Every structure is written in structure tokens, then in C-alpha cells.
């Protein structure tokens, strides 16, 4: 029996006034995988993420999160999602523990389990010993880990991360990915991540979609996408092939195969 | 592990009966309001200096304006000393000042990504706005305690009846909730901190002066009386004066107008909240 996909988008479109940000995207994220949404700035990645998380209304097309239609059942869908937006979003006027407890309350973690859930979330990101400090006292990397703890405290089935490592030094980036990997391995949750760090996508994503100008131009495993360009190709080459026009050179990625996939299209 | 309220869980075959669903939503609303109030108290506990700074303005109104006009006897307030008469007005004013700029915090939350995250929690937008509204009431309530202590030190004869004081707290919170939602509504329309600050400053004083906070309604020209009748601050002051110093008041009418205004404004602010999230 086929497992319900974690995310299923069909024909979604979104415009900001006259600007078409998402121009008809079909996407399926298999449950239990780390899925990377890649593309240059303005490709439409964040708009897709904001539609999946119900921040933007889905007026054209459909989006389902574990079978729940996000347009019709927003609250049900949100209960399945942990979300970390692009900009640092922890409340600096609150302590580390208070920041996480706020989300435990908002996701209705029962009072009797709340403290344990908060401690577990903080421990999973290595911030339990900082619980009493105000968020303002944390470094950029620690703030990112705190936001991860906020997203994890409700034990979501889908963790959505919008550029989780942007602005972090290499050590901070490695620490964030290490925590994501640990949590994913422990809980089996699905991770949907946007990034334009191709090395991160190559190393950590089971499958990636390459977006450009509101459309998905490539979908597959990093290995398959690289192989479709040649034996020596890197994911950076694939990125440039898709987004080349944005950087002053023509794109040369060609056309996707059946089902929009390059290479074999097999799942890892 | 998250516990999903039974009424919000997907149910096979049939949709939940509407009374249960309504009760579930009411429970959700209460839970979110409580959460936002707790967060507001936590923030206040981290920064107590703000309370002291905010107490300066009402203190000046009571000490300078109140004491001077009490001696001048320029405003006829019957048997009630002017300072006593003024205190509920200043209480309402200080709550108004706290609430009317709350929209700036919402815009700040938007810029910091906090609003986006709150909007991706299982919280209806109306519950989020109501939570923020009553959280501003918490802040106003702490401010009110400072004003009342100061007034008592200046010799104002305030009620000591716990029920009347509880009623006072209720009206302060309700009034703040309305003005907070008004501020969030403006934030949803203008979308920028600077514009909201300008509009907030532009409307605060007219709201204050076009009310019975400083002088009895009977002294106002007809057009100002009409404005006072359309101004929720006037109803708040009327109730606070009745509860705190025992002047004749229309408590039920005041309660009905403030409650209805707050509910309507929560709905309007919730409808505009999405503009801030785009």
C-alpha cells in the first residue's frame, strides 16, 4: 500500500498583484524524507512554503499535508506542521524556555506533559542549559536552534524550514543540520527545506526540486540531477543550468523526463 | 505528544455537531487568550523599567493638572473633588495610551517573523487578535494599579470594595482590548510602523478630549456630546467613575457598548491580520 505523501501540491499558482510568483507547481514530498526546494532568489520557493504552511491562501490548485487539504482545514493542517521562517523569529523579550513553552501552549501540549516536552525539545537542540537565559543573549546559530526547538515541541509530522542556515557561519550551519538530522532519524518526521546552499542540499536532502521563475524545472535525487548533466557535475552546476539566465548566462538544463523528473527518477 | 481537541480532529463519516464545535472553538479562544496574557506578563517581568516610564505621564496629569484644577475649581463636579473626578479619566487614558500603540508591536512581530510563526499555529486569527487584545489589557491593568496607588497617596477617596475593584479591572481590560484591536486594524491598513505612530498620535488626543475623562458631559457643547456618545472611551470612563468613586453611571450600557465594540473590532482586526502576513 502506498504511503500518503507528506505534501502534495497540484497546479498551485500565486500572484502578488501583477507578479506571478508561483506559475503552476506540482510537487510531492514523500513521508519521512528530507526534501529540498532549491532555486535562486525570487524563484518562488518561499511563496510555495508560505502556501503549504497556510500563510498564503491557496486560491488556484490544491495542497494536501498528509492528506489534509490546507485550504479547507487550516487548523488541522497546522497541527501537523512545525515551521521556521527565513528571518530569526524567536522573541528576544522572552527566555529560551518561555519561547518554547509558548509554542507548547499554542499547540495544546497538555499541561502535565508540557515541561517534559519543552525540556526534550531544548535538549534535542542542545540548549537545555541555556533555558533560563533571555533569547537576546543567544548567538545567531543558537537562535536558529531555539527556533528549531519551538517547531519541534509539538512533535510535528512535517518540519518546514525556510533557509534555516542563511547568515550562519560554517560551524553554525553544521550544528543546525546535525540537529535536524538527529531529530529526523529519531522521529521519522518529514523535513521540507528551502536553501540556496547547494552543498547542504547535496549532503542532506534525499530529494530536491529546482525552482525558477515560479516553476519546478528539475525534480529528483541530487545524484540523479547531477548525473543528468555529466559524471563530473555538481549540484551547483545543475543550479546554474536551471537559473543561468538569472546570472547572465543561458540556462542549459534541458527538459525533464516523465513526471518532471531527471535521471532515473527513483526515490532514495 | 500533541493532544488535538476532540472537536477539531478529523472525523470519519460525519462532521462534528455544531454545539460541540462551537464549545471547542470557545475553549480554543480562552486557551489562546490565556497564553497571550501569560506571555505579556512574562515580558513585563523581564522589563520592569517600562512600567515606571509609562507611569510618568499619568502621574503628571494627576499631580500637576489634577492638583491645579482642584484648587482653581474651574470645572464644576458637584460634591466630588476634581482630583477624585479626574482619577478614573486618567486611568482610562493611561490604558488607552498603552493599547493604542499595540499595533506597532504587531508590525514589529511581523518584521521579526514572530507573527508568521504564530499564524502557522492552530490558532484562528480572531483568537490570536483576541489574545493580543487581552494581553494589552494585562499591561494596562498593571499600569492601572500604579495610577490607583498614586491617586490613593494623593488622597483620592477610592472604593475599597473588592467586587467594585474587580469590575474596574474588567472595564480597564475591555477598554484596552477595544483600543488594541483598533490599533491592530490601523496596522493592517497602513502596514508600517511610522504611519501607525503618526495616526496613533493623531487620534489619541481627540479620543481623550472628546470624552468625559476631564470634564462632565453636561459642560460640553452639543457636537462634543455627540462625539462622546460615539467614543468608547466615554463609556469606559463613565463605568470607572461609577465603580471607583460612586458617581451615577450606566454600568450595563457601558458594559454592553464596550463588549460589543471590542467583539466587532476583534473581527475587523482579524480580517486585516492576513495583510500583515503577506
Amino acid at each position: 500500500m502506498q504511503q500518503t505523501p507528506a505534501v502534495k501540491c497540484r497546479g498551485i499558482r500565486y500572484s502578488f498583484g501583477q507578479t506571478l510568483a508561483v506559475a503552476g507547481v506540482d510537487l510531492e514530498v514523500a513521508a519521512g524524507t528530507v526534501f529540498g526546494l532549491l532555486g535562486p532568489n525570487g524563484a518562488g520557493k518561499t511563496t510555495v512554503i508560505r502556501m503549504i504552511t497556510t500563510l498564503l491562501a491557496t486560491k488556484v490548485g490544491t495542497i494536501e499535508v498528509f492528506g489534509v487539504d490546507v485550504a479547507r482545514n487550516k487548523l488541522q493542517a497546522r497541527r501537523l506542521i512545525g515551521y521556521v521562517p527565513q528571518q530569526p523569529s524567536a522573541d528576544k523579550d522572552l527566555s529560551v524556555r518561555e519561547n518554547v513553552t509558548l509554542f507548547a501552549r499554542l499547540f495544546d501540549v497538555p499541561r502535565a506533559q508540557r515541561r517534559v516536552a519543552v525540556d526534550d525539545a531544548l535538549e534535542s537542540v542542545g540548549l537545555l542549559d541555556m533555558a533560563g537565559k533571555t533569547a537576546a543573549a543567544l548567538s545567531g546559530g543558537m537562535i536558529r536552534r531555539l527556533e528549531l526547538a519551538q517547531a519541534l515541541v509539538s512533535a510535528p509530522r512535517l518540519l518546514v524550514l525556510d533557509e534555516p542556515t542563511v547568515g550562519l557561519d560554517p560551524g553554525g550551519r553544521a550544528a543546525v543540520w546535525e540537529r535536524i538530522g538527529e531529530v529526523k532519524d529519531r522521529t521519522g518526521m518529514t523535513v521540507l527545506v528551502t536553501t540556496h546552499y547547494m552543498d547542504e542540499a547535496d549532503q542532506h536532502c534525499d530529494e530536491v526540486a529546482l525552482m525558477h521563475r515560479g516553476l519546478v524545472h528539475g525534480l529528483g535525487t541530487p545524484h540523479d540531477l547531477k548525473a543528468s548533466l555529466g559524471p563530473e557535475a555538481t549540484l551547483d552546476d545543475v543550479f546554474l543550468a536551471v537559473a543561468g539566465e538569472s546570472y547572465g548566462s543561458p540556462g542549459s538544463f534541458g527538459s525533464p523526463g516523465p513526471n518532471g523528473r531527471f535521471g532515473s527518477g527513483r526515490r532514495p | 505528544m500533541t493532544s488535538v481537541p476532540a472537536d477539531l480532529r478529523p472525523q470519519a463519516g460525519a462532521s462534528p455537531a455544531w454545539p460541540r464545535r462551537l464549545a471547542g472553538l470557545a475553549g480554543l479562544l480562552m486557551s489562546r487568550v490565556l497564553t497571550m496574557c501569560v506571555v505579556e506578563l512574562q515580558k513585563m517581568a523581564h522589563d520592569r523599567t517600562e512600567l515606571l516610564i509609562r507611569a510618568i505621564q499619568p502621574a503628571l496629569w494627576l499631580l500637576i493638572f489634577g492638583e491645579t484644577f482642584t484648587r482653581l475649581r474651574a470645572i464644576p463636579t458637584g460634591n466630588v473633588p476634581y482630583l477624585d473626578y479626574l482619577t478614573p479619566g486618567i486611568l482610562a487614558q493611561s490604558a488607552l495610551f498603552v493599547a493604542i500603540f499595540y499595533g506597532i508591536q504587531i508590525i514589529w512581530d511581523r518584521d521579526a517573523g514572530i507573527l508568521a510563526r504564530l499564524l502557522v499555529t492552530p490558532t484562528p486569527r480572531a483568537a490570536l487578535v483576541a489574545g493580543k487584545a487581552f494581553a494589552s489589557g494585562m499591561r494596562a491593568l498593571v499600569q492601572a494599579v500604579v495610577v490607583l496607588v498614586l491617586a490613593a497617596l494623593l488622597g483620592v477617596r477610592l472604593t475599597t470594595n473588592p467586587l467594585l475593584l474587580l469590575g474596574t479591572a474588567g472595564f480597564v481590560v475591555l477598554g484596552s482590548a477595544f483600543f488594541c484591536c483598533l490599533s491592530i486594524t490601523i496596522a493592517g491598513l497602513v502596514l508600517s510602523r511610522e504611519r501607525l505612530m503618526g495616526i496613533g498620535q493623531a487620534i489619541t488626543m481627540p479620543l481623550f478630549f472628546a470624552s468625559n475623562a476631564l470634564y462632565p458631559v453636561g459642560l460640553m457643547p452639543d457636537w462634543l456630546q455627540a462625539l462622546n456618545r460615539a467614543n468608547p472611551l466615554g463609556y469606559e470612563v463613565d463605568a470607572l467613575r461609577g465603580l471607583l468613586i460612586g458617581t451615577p453611571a450606566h454600568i450595563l450600557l457601558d458594559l454592553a457598548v464596550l463588549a460589543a465594540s471590542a467583539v466587532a473590532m476583534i473581527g475587523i482586526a482579524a480580517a486585516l491580520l492576513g495583510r500583515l502576513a503577506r
Side-chain angles (χ1 to χ4, degrees), chain B residues 26-75:
Chain B
L28 197 65
L29 181 75
M30 292 296 292
S31 155
R32 299 305 185 258
V33 167
L34 187 66
T35 297
M36 292 301 167
C37 288
V38 167
V39 166
E40 203 63 27
L41 291 172
Q42 287 169 338
K43 287 186 181 182
M44 278 191 278
H46 287 300
D47 183 11
R48 290 172 199 163
T49 53
E50 193 192 326
L51 273 180
L52 289 174
I53 292 165
R54 281 185 185 271
I56 292 171
Q57 189 159 309
L60 290 176
W61 274 96
L62 288 176
L63 281 168
I64 299 174
F65 190 88
E67 290 284 10
T68 306
F69 274 73
T70 299
R71 283 159 204 258
L72 280 175
R73 296 177 194 278
I75 299 173

Side-chain angles (χ1 to χ4, degrees), chain A residues 3-68:
Chain A
Q3 206 177 4
T4 307
V7 179
K8 188 174 173 184
C9 302
R10 284 286 171 267
I12 58 169
R13 297 167 70 90
Y14 197 92
S15 298
F16 294 97
Q18 297 296 311
T19 309
L20 188 61
V22 178
V25 164
D26 293 328
L27 206 62
E28 205 166 297
V29 177
T33 60
V34 178
F35 189 99
L37 204 51
L38 318 180
N41 293 330
K45 311 182 295 289
T46 296
T47 305
V48 169
I49 290 282
R50 289 166 76 84
M51 291 175 80
I52 291 169
T53 55
T54 76
L55 277 170
L56 293 174
T58 306
K59 291 175 185 162
V60 180
T62 58
I63 299 177
E64 289 178 6
V65 173
F66 287 102
V68 175

Side-chain angles (χ1 to χ4, degrees), chain A residues 50 88-89 98 106 150 154, chain B residues 2 32 43 46 112 117 121 277:
Chain A
R50 289 166 76 84
S89 60
E98 287 163 351
L106 291 176
Q150 288 177 302
S154 58
Chain B
T2 309
R32 299 305 185 258
K43 287 186 181 182
H46 287 300
R117 295 199 75 182
T121 64

Side-chain angles (χ1 to χ4, degrees), chain A residues 212-256:
Chain A
H212 186 43
R213 293 187 176 166
L215 288 168
V216 173
H217 286 265
L219 182 66
T221 66
H223 175 269
D224 291 342
L225 289 172
K226 286 184 291 185
S228 66
L229 274 191
E232 301 297 317
T234 65
L235 210 49
D236 273 319
D237 297 329
V238 180
F239 179 86
L240 284 172
V242 166
E245 293 165 65
S246 304
Y247 296 90
S249 62
S252 58
F253 197 54
S255 304

